[in-house]
C-alpha cells in the first residue's frame, strides 16, 4: 500500500439511481413505492424552465410528506451557471434538509464548483441546525469536468459519488451521436481480410475511456463511480449489457431513467450466488495457504495470491451489504 490511505466515503448501496422529474407528482409518488437504492429528484434537465419553481415546491413536499424509508434521497439541482441553482439549494435544504442525504451537482466542471456548493450547504446546515451532513454527488458530463475529474473528486469531504452523464458528455465533446448511452455502430474496427478475403467489423465501446477515467478518479478518492443513463428503456437486454460492462470496470451502479430499469440495475450490480461462492472458495484456499506458510496457491488450475483475497473480499462485502439491507 501507499503511505497515503484512501478514506472511503459514507457507505451506501447505490446499485440503482432512479431519476424522477420534480415536475411530475405522480412519478414522485410512484418512486417512493419503488425499489431503487438511490432516488434523485430532478430539478434540472427533465424539468422545463417554466416548471422549475413548481418542481422545487413538489420536491420539498415529496421529501417531507412521502415515505422514502430504505432509500437514499438526492436532489439534482440546476447547473451553477443558471439563476435557479442558488434557490434550489437554499429552498430545498432549508425546508427539507433533514430528509435529504445528497445533493447532485450536474455538469461539475472544476473543484471550485464543489467548493461553492459546500460553502452554501455548510451555512444552511448551521443556520437550520441540520446535524446530518448532506453529501454530494457530481455528474461528470462535460469535457471540462472530465479534464478536472481528479480535482473534482477530491474537492470536498462531502463527496460521495461520481456519475458518468453520457448524454451531456456526448454533446460537450461534440461526439457524432444522438442517442443517450449505448453502443454506436460507427465506433468499431474492421479486421484485416482473412484467407478468403472476408473481413469482420467489431463494435467498440465509445465510452470506455471516459468511464474508466472517472472510475479511477472516484476510487482514488474513496467515492462510488456510477454509470449514467441508457435512454432506450424498451431495450432491457441493451440496458443489461451496458450495466454489466460498467460493473466489470468497477462502477457500483447505474441510473434508471425509467422504473423498469430499477430492478435490472439492482440485480446486475448485486454479485451473483456463483460469484459469491467462488469468492468464498478463494478466501478459504488462501486461508489454507496462510496456514501452510504460502503466499500463492493454485485453485481450479489457476494461480491465486494475496491480491485475490482483496478481489474476493470486494464481492463478499457487497453481498453482505445487500443481505443486510434485505
Ligand atoms: C445526464 O445528466 C446525462 O447528461 O447523461
Ligand atoms: Mg446531463
Amino acid at each position: 500500500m501507499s503511505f497515503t490511505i484512501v478514506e472511503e466515503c459514507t457507505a451506501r448501496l447505490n446499485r440503482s439511481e432512479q431519476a424522477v422529474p420534480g415536475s411530475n407528482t405522480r412519478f414522485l409518488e410512484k418512486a417512493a413505492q419503488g425499489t431503487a437504492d438511490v432516488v434523485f429528484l430532478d430539478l434540472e434537465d427533465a424539468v422545463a424552465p417554466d416548471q422549475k419553481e413548481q418542481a422545487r415546491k413538489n420536491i420539498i413536499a415529496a421529501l417531507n410528506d412521502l415515505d422514502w424509508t430504505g432509500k437514499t434521497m438526492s436532489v439534482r439541482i440546476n447547473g451553477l451557471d443558471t439563476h435557479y441553482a442558488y434557490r434550489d439549494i437554499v429552498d430545498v435544504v432549508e425546508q427539507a434538509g433533514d430528509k435529504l442525504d445528497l445533493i447532485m451537482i450536474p455538469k461539475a466542471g472544476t473543484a471550485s464548483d464543489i467548493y461553492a456548493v459546500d460553502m452554501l450547504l455548510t451555512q444552511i446546515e448551521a443556520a437550520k441546525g441540520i446535524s446530518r451532513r448532506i453529501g454530494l454527488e457530481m455528474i461528470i458530463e462535460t469535457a471540462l469536468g472530465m479534464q478536472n475529474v481528479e480535482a473534482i473528486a477530491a474537492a470536498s469531504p462531502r463527496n460521495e459519488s461520481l456519475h458518468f452523464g453520457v448524454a451531456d458528455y456526448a454533446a460537450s465533446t461534440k461526439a457524432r451521436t444522438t442517442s443517450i448511452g449505448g453502443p454506436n455502430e460507427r465506433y468499431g474496427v474492421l479486421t484485416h481480410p482473412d484467407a478468403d478475403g472476408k473481413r469482420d467489423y467489431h463494435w467498440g465501446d465509445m465510452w470506455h475511456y471516459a468511464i474508466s477515467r472517472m472510475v479511477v478518479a472516484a476510487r482514488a478518492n474513496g467515492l462510488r463511480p456510477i454509470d449514467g443513463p441508457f435512454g432506450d428503456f424498451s431495450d432491457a437486454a441493451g440496458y443489461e449489457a451496458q450495466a454489466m460492462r460498467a460493473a466489470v470496470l468497477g462502477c457500483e451502479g447505474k441510473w434508471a431513467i425509467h422504473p423498469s430499469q430499477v430492478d435490472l440495475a439492482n440485480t446486475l450490480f448485486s454479485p451473483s450466488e456463483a460469484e459469491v461462492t467462488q469468492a468464498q472458495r478463494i478466501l478459504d484456499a488462501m486461508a489454507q495457504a496462510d496456514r501452510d506458510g504460502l503466499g500463492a496457491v493454485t485453485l481450479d488450475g489457476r494461480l491465486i495470491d494475496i491480491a485475490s483475497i482483496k478481489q474476493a473480499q470486494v464481492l463478499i462485502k457487497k453481498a453482505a451489504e445487500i443481505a443486510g439491507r434485505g
Side-chain angles (χ1 to χ4, degrees):
M1 281 294 188
S2 163
F3 189 58
T4 299
I5 303 298
V6 174
E7 278 188 35
E8 297 285 321
C9 69
T10 306
R12 302 181 198 275
L13 274 185
N14 205 162
R15 298 166 299 174
S16 50
E17 175 115 10
Q18 186 177 2
V20 188
S23 45
N24 190 317
T25 50
R26 197 169 56 86
F27 285 179
L28 291 167
E29 281 161 20
K30 275 184 74 180
Q33 291 156 17
T35 51
D37 287 341
V38 182
V39 176
F40 81 78
L41 310 180
D42 192 14
L43 286 167
E44 200 220 15
D45 280 357
V47 177
D50 63 353
Q51 295 185 338
K52 296 280 188 197
E53 279 192 28
Q54 186 57 47
R56 217 182 269 138
K57 289 185 188 141
N58 295 346
I59 285 178
I60 292 165
L63 283 168
N64 284 321
D65 301 340
L66 297 177
D67 182 2
W68 299 99
T69 306
K71 296 179 181 59
T72 292
M73 295 309 297
S74 180
V75 170
R76 177 164 78 167
I77 60 171
N78 283 282
L80 301 183
D81 58 329
T82 72
H83 66 274
Y84 304 114
Y86 82 98
R87 199 149 277 297
D88 291 344
I89 300 172
V90 173
D91 284 7
V92 172
V93 179
E94 279 195 351
Q95 294 172 48
D98 55 340
K99 305 283 174 24
L100 197 59
D101 301 294
L102 304 164
I103 289 274
M104 175 181 265
I105 306 176
K107 300 175 182 73
T110 71
S112 306
D113 288 342
I114 319 311
Y115 188 86
V117 175
D118 191 350
M119 180 272 289
L120 258 180
L121 282 177
T122 303
Q123 291 192 21
I124 302 168
E125 285 169 350
K128 289 284 159 187
I130 301 168
S131 52
R132 206 162 43 104
R133 185 176 72 181
I134 293 170
L136 292 174
E137 28 185 25
M138 278 67 60
I139 316 182
I140 304 301
E141 53 181 342
T142 60
L144 183 65
M146 193 58 80
Q147 176 175 270
N148 294 318
V149 65
E150 291 88 3
I152 289 169
S156 166
R158 294 181 188 269
N159 286 1
E160 290 201 15
S161 54
L162 298 182
H163 301 246
F164 181 53
V166 63
D168 273 302
Y169 186 76
S172 172
T173 54
K174 304 196 194 304
R176 273 179 78 168
T177 180
T178 49
S179 67
I180 296 188
N184 186 330
E185 74 272 18
R186 295 199 284 184
Y187 188 82
V189 290
L190 190 61
T191 62
H192 288 170
D194 66 12
D196 301 323
K198 184 174 164 301
R199 306 181 79 173
D200 289 324
Y201 181 73
H202 296 291
W203 293 24
D205 180 1
M206 67 182 285
W207 312 115
H208 177 84
Y209 166 74
I211 297 184
S212 298
R213 182 166 176 182
M214 187 196 78
V215 167
V216 173
R219 294 300 187 193
N221 288 279
L223 313 184
R224 297 182 293 276
I226 307 294
D227 192 21
F230 180 73
D232 187 356
F233 57 80
S234 53
D235 180 8
Y239 181 89
E240 284 174 354
Q242 289 302 108
M244 186 47 86
R245 105 301 182 204
V248 167
L249 286 178
C251 286
E252 270 185 53
K254 183 166 175 61
W255 285 19
I257 49 100
H258 187 267
S260 66
Q261 295 177 337
V262 170
D263 287 338
L264 294 177
N266 285 349
T267 303
L268 269 153
F269 287 95
S270 303
S272 67
E273 250 181 69
E275 284 172 303
V276 175
T277 304
Q278 182 60 8
Q280 193 54 55
R281 287 184 70 228
I282 290 171
L283 293 185
D284 294 347
M286 287 306 295
Q288 184 60 45
D290 188 42
R291 287 191 290 276
D292 296 342
L294 298 169
V297 286
T298 303
L299 181 69
D300 304 330
R302 293 182 183 174
L303 177 98
I304 56 171
D305 68 7
I306 290 166
S308 312
I309 300 180
K310 294 179 196 141
Q311 291 176 352
Q313 280 169 341
V314 168
L315 287 163
I316 301 270
K317 184 165 171 265
K318 175 63 63 186
E321 280 168 16
I322 294 164
R325 178 192 157 118

